Every structure is written in C-alpha cells, then in structure tokens.
Amino acid sequence: MLTDFSHQYLEGLNVADFRPRPKVSGRLASYDGLLMEAVGLQLPVGTVCSVGAAGGDQVEAEIIGFRAGRTLLMNLGGPAALLPNAPVRPIGPPGEAEVGAALLGRVVDGAGKPIDGLGAIRGAGRWPLAGKLQSPLDRGRVLEPMDVGVRAINGLLTVGQGQRLGIMAGSGVGKSVLLGMMVRAAEADVVVIGLIGERSREVADFLETKVAGEARKRSVVVAVPANHSPVLRIRGALRATAIAESFRAEGKKVLLIMDSLTRVAHAGREIGLALGEPASARGYPPSAIAMLPSLIERAGTCVSSGGSITAIYTVLADGDDGNDPVVDSARSILDGHIVLSRQLAERGVYPAIDLGPSVSRVMTDIVGKAHVHAARVLRRHLATYEENRDLVLMGAYRAGADAAIDNAIACHPAIMEYIRQDADQSVSLADSVAELTGVFGDG
C-alpha cells in the first residue's frame, strides 16, 4: 500500500513543464498614509501588492514608480496599522479589466469589484486597462446624428455618433442634471457611466433617478467616490473606457458618460506631486494634464467593427474660470463642448447652456443646410441681444434705430423658450429640428 502511494506521488511530481518559481516579497521602508516605499521588489508599474503580515492588518497598494533603488506604491485602501518592514507581496498583474455582457446592469468600483450586492461577476472577458493602440486611419468619421433628448443640444449643438463632447461649468450649475437628461433619452446599445471623484450620495441618486428601469439593464456603472485613493479614481476612469472599448469592438453603439474629467486630473495631480514632479499651472504637474489626451482619444468610431463610442465628459471649471488648465486642455482635444452659464442659471434658465462659447465641431457634417442656417440665425439674434442687453434694460435704446437689434429683441422670448426644458422632459431630434426651422428658418 505504501509502495503504491509513493509511486503515485512521485509520478504526480514528474511533470514535464514544471518550473520552480521563487516567491517574490519585499519590505515596507516608508509610509506616510498614502505613499509607500518598499525595498527588495522588482515588479512593473501597475502591479497590485498586499502590504502587511498575514493574519494581521493588510492593505492593497499599486506600484506607481521608482526612486533611489526603492519601489514607490500608492495606497488603494484605507488606513491600516502597518509596522516597519511589513512584507510587501504582489497579488495581481498590471492592467486588465473585466468586460463583456456579464457587466450589464452591474455596478463596480475602481478595482472592478461589484458593489451592488448582486454577487460575483461571472463569464466576463478581459481587456487592457490602457486600451489597445489604434492607427488614426482605423477611426471613422462622425456622420450620423445622435438624439440626446435635449432640445437646445439637438437643434443647436447636434451630437454625432462617435463624437467626444465636454460639458463645462462651475460647481452647482447643473452638469449632472443635464447628463441625466441625456442618459435617459440617448439612443445607444450600451451606456457606460463612470462616476469618478464625485459625492458618494450621487452614486445611489444617479442609479435610482437617471438609469432606473429598462435603462439599467443596458448600463454599466463604475463608481469611485471622492474619498477613494487617487490611484483607484484613475483606474475607475480607465476601467470605464476599457469596458466601452470592448463593446465597441463587438460593433455596438456605446454612450460613455464620465463625471468628471476634472476629478481624474485631480487624482493625477495627487500622484504626480507625491512622486516629486514640479507643479506648473494651478499646481498640476505635467503628467496630470498629459494623461487627458490618452484617455479621451480612446473614444470615437471604429472602422473595422462598425461600432462607436460617443463620449460625454463633464469638466469642472474651478472658480468658473474658463482658462483653467483642465478646461483648456479638454477643449483643445474634444470634438465639441457645451458651456453652462451661472448667470443664466441665476435667471432661472435650465439647462443653462451658454450658446456663445459652446460649439459642436461635427454639426455641419451630420445635419442638413436648412438646419445649419436656422441655428446660425438663432445664434446671431442671441448674440446681438446679449451685446445690447444693458442698453435695452436701461431704456437707452430707441426702437427703430437698428433693424438687427429690433429683430433680436422680438426673437428673444422665442429663443429663451427654445432653450428652456424641464429635467423630466425629453424632446426628440426630429421635433427639435422642426421647431427650430419653423421659427428661425426664414431669418
């Protein structure tokens, strides 16, 4: 009996491809609550490690760089009672996200773990967090309009399938409300929502009010609130984009919502400053701003699969400054931007879209000439009225002195009525165009 057991045991060990692998481990040399330094590790950037003794307090951290022979890690979890020389061991390879139809209707965090209480995600595929590099010629043109249910956007800032659009405004002007209006009415096969760096309360509110009912079944939500690690916030943005890319590769029309791009840049700023990068404008190190193009450029249309990612990013203008580094950088990369005005919001105009600085760079390629003409007429009347608004309100302007101003004054109530829309109301693209051309088509 013992002989048979020994023979079977030895046969089990006789595996042709057996390769002994050493157990990689390092030691914690420095920790200030966020940034860690470890010695004795040789692992690539992006590797997730476990820090702490087995059976004691442990925390996960991600390798973000190297300095003077030490490995730099960023804390992914909360505070932990770590001791000097605590063991540091790798637990996960860098850079892959779970993707596919198994994620539809689910809510995950920045690490890809489900937080909706519906159990583990099974049957998901894999996709690189950093995406798959494409040639510029693999990207198709934006040629078809997309109905977003907001009359002012459908008519005056028409969005195309595969366009990258920014919603820019200061705090509390209505970016999230406008996003919700667009999510409910958008014609897309899949909606991927990245709630990055926002309030924890907004996550549940967004799920219950913006993507409730049938919309929830075709949505994937990646939620990383503001109190999470900056590495997790960046991973959340990368994960949401990777999920959208995988659906696009299947030929589907994807709507990617990211709220907000500025919080991703803030996370990059925290990491860059922790690594010792020099701060430039508004305290942003160069790496934080340079990260935005690599994230935004991953959206768009794909010639080979026929799918598209229509991406809408909210951009917080700190202090209502339109020249904020993040706002300025995003504006130069995106295919269009919608600027929300605090002055319009204070006058009770919702959505508070400031048409003057707002633009859709693909609108002339996806709509007819009559539509473009009517939109330009409305813009011209609105610009004329705003330029002479103070004169009109003070009574300094005499009617009949200028025909353009007279026309602008006469059309102003119709313009404001066209822009205004209740948050729970949806206006189709066809109705938006018909109303616009009906009133301003002969201007």
Side-chain angles (χ1 to χ4, degrees), residues 46-211:
T47 303
V48 179
C49 298
S50 172
V51 184
D57 288 336
Q58 292 185 341
V59 67
E60 291 186 1
E62 180 179 329
I63 296 177
I64 60 172
F66 311 97
R67 179 192 298 151
R70 293 185 172 188
T71 300
L72 305 180
L73 303 96
M74 186 72 75
N75 188 0
L76 293 180
L82 299 177
L83 296 173
N85 294 318
V88 181
R89 299 184 180 91
I91 59 174
E96 278 194 334
E98 291 185 327
V99 297
L103 274 77
L104 293 176
R106 302 302 302 269
V107 185
V108 299
D109 62 7
K113 300 175 182 177
I115 56 175
D116 50 11
L118 299 179
I121 298 173
R122 304 186 185 279
R126 294 284 177 175
W127 194 273
L129 272 177
K132 298 179 181 179
L133 189 62
Q134 285 186 305
S135 164
L137 297 181
D138 292 334
R139 296 296 176 85
R141 295 179 60 202
V142 179
L143 298 174
E144 295 183 25
M146 182 176 187
D147 189 354
V148 295
V150 181
R151 181 169 47 221
I153 298 177
N154 280 339
L156 305 171
L157 301 163
T158 311
V159 178
Q161 292 178 7
Q163 183 177 0
R164 291 86 51 86
L165 189 71
I167 300 178
M168 302 173 176
S171 57
V173 185
K175 297 187 298 299
S176 297
V177 175
L178 181 58
L179 271 184
M181 295 171 67
M182 299 170 76
V183 168
R184 283 194 297 269
E187 296 177 349
D189 299 324
V190 179
V191 180
V192 181
I193 304 166
L195 302 176
I196 312 298
E198 296 298 319
R199 296 178 289 273
S200 298
R201 175 191 62 80
E202 285 192 343
V203 176
D205 180 73
F206 204 97
L207 292 174
E208 294 178 8
T209 60
K210 288 13 177 233
V211 289

Side-chain angles (χ1 to χ4, degrees), residues 51-383:
V51 184
D57 288 336
Q58 292 185 341
V59 67
E60 291 186 1
E62 180 179 329
I63 296 177
I64 60 172
F66 311 97
R67 179 192 298 151
R70 293 185 172 188
T71 300
L72 305 180
L73 303 96
M74 186 72 75
N75 188 0
L76 293 180
L82 299 177
L83 296 173
N85 294 318
V88 181
R89 299 184 180 91
I91 59 174
E96 278 194 334
E98 291 185 327
V99 297
L103 274 77
L104 293 176
R106 302 302 302 269
V107 185
V108 299
D109 62 7
K113 300 175 182 177
I115 56 175
D116 50 11
L118 299 179
I121 298 173
R122 304 186 185 279
R126 294 284 177 175
W127 194 273
L129 272 177
K132 298 179 181 179
L133 189 62
Q134 285 186 305
S135 164
L137 297 181
D138 292 334
R139 296 296 176 85
R141 295 179 60 202
V142 179
L143 298 174
E144 295 183 25
M146 182 176 187
D147 189 354
V148 295
V150 181
R151 181 169 47 221
I153 298 177
N154 280 339
L156 305 171
L157 301 163
T158 311
V159 178
Q161 292 178 7
Q163 183 177 0
R164 291 86 51 86
L165 189 71
I167 300 178
M168 302 173 176
S171 57
V173 185
K175 297 187 298 299
S176 297
V177 175
L178 181 58
L179 271 184
M181 295 171 67
M182 299 170 76
V183 168
R184 283 194 297 269
E187 296 177 349
D189 299 324
V190 179
V191 180
V192 181
I193 304 166
L195 302 176
I196 312 298
E198 296 298 319
R199 296 178 289 273
S200 298
R201 175 191 62 80
E202 285 192 343
V203 176
D205 180 73
F206 204 97
L207 292 174
E208 294 178 8
T209 60
K210 288 13 177 233
V211 289
E214 290 297 320
R216 181 75 178 272
K217 297 178 181 179
R218 62 186 176 106
S219 302
V220 183
V221 180
V222 181
V224 191
N227 60 336
H228 285 215
S229 163
V231 175
L232 279 179
R233 278 177 263 156
I234 292 179
R235 274 185 168 253
L238 296 175
R239 187 173 299 277
T241 308
I243 293 171
E245 284 179 320
S246 71
F247 284 115
R248 178 181 63 186
E250 297 175 5
K252 295 183 178 179
K253 297 177 182 178
V254 184
L255 176 64
L256 172 63
I257 301 287
M258 192 165 295
D259 186 14
S260 76
L261 194 65
T262 305
R263 305 299 187 191
V264 178
H266 286 178
R269 178 170 61 184
E270 291 182 46
I271 295 175
L273 294 178
L275 287 171
E277 284 190 61
S280 54
R282 296 289 180 89
Y284 288 100
S287 63
I289 302 300
M291 174 180 58
L292 301 181
S294 62
L295 183 66
I296 294 172
E297 278 295 314
R298 292 168 62 181
T301 59
C302 180
V303 174
S304 58
S305 70
S308 65
I309 299 176
T310 306
I312 302 176
Y313 304 91
T314 64
V315 185
L316 176 64
D318 290 332
D320 291 345
D321 183 8
N323 295 319
D324 179 84
V326 178
V327 175
D328 195 46
S329 178
R331 186 166 48 217
S332 65
I333 305 165
L334 294 167
D335 301 323
H337 50 272
I338 299 171
V339 179
L340 302 186
S341 167
R342 192 175 299 276
Q343 288 74 25
L344 284 175
E346 290 171 351
R347 295 179 205 162
V349 179
Y350 290 100
I353 299 175
D354 190 353
L355 292 175
S358 301
V359 64
S360 173
R361 297 179 182 176
V362 303
M363 180 175 174
T364 54
D365 296 331
I366 59 178
V367 301
K369 292 183 178 179
H371 183 177
V372 173
H373 173 73
R376 287 174 177 171
V377 170
L378 186 150
R379 282 175 172 272
R380 185 172 67 245
H381 287 328
L382 181 59

Side-chain angles (χ1 to χ4, degrees), residues 360-441:
S360 173
R361 297 179 182 176
V362 303
M363 180 175 174
T364 54
D365 296 331
I366 59 178
V367 301
K369 292 183 178 179
H371 183 177
V372 173
H373 173 73
R376 287 174 177 171
V377 170
L378 186 150
R379 282 175 172 272
R380 185 172 67 245
H381 287 328
L382 181 59
T384 302
Y385 182 87
E386 292 297 334
E387 288 173 2
N388 299 277
R389 176 183 174 82
D390 293 339
L391 291 176
V392 174
L393 294 180
M394 289 188 301
Y397 174 74
R398 180 171 54 85
D402 188 297
I405 299 178
D406 291 340
N407 289 335
I409 294 173
C411 292
H412 191 67
I415 293 174
M416 289 295 100
E417 187 63 28
Y418 188 82
I419 295 174
R420 285 192 181 97
Q421 184 175 331
D422 292 336
D424 57 354
Q425 181 185 8
S426 178
V427 181
S428 69
L429 177 62
D431 291 343
S432 302
V433 175
E435 189 173 339
L436 177 67
T437 54
V439 178
F440 299 98

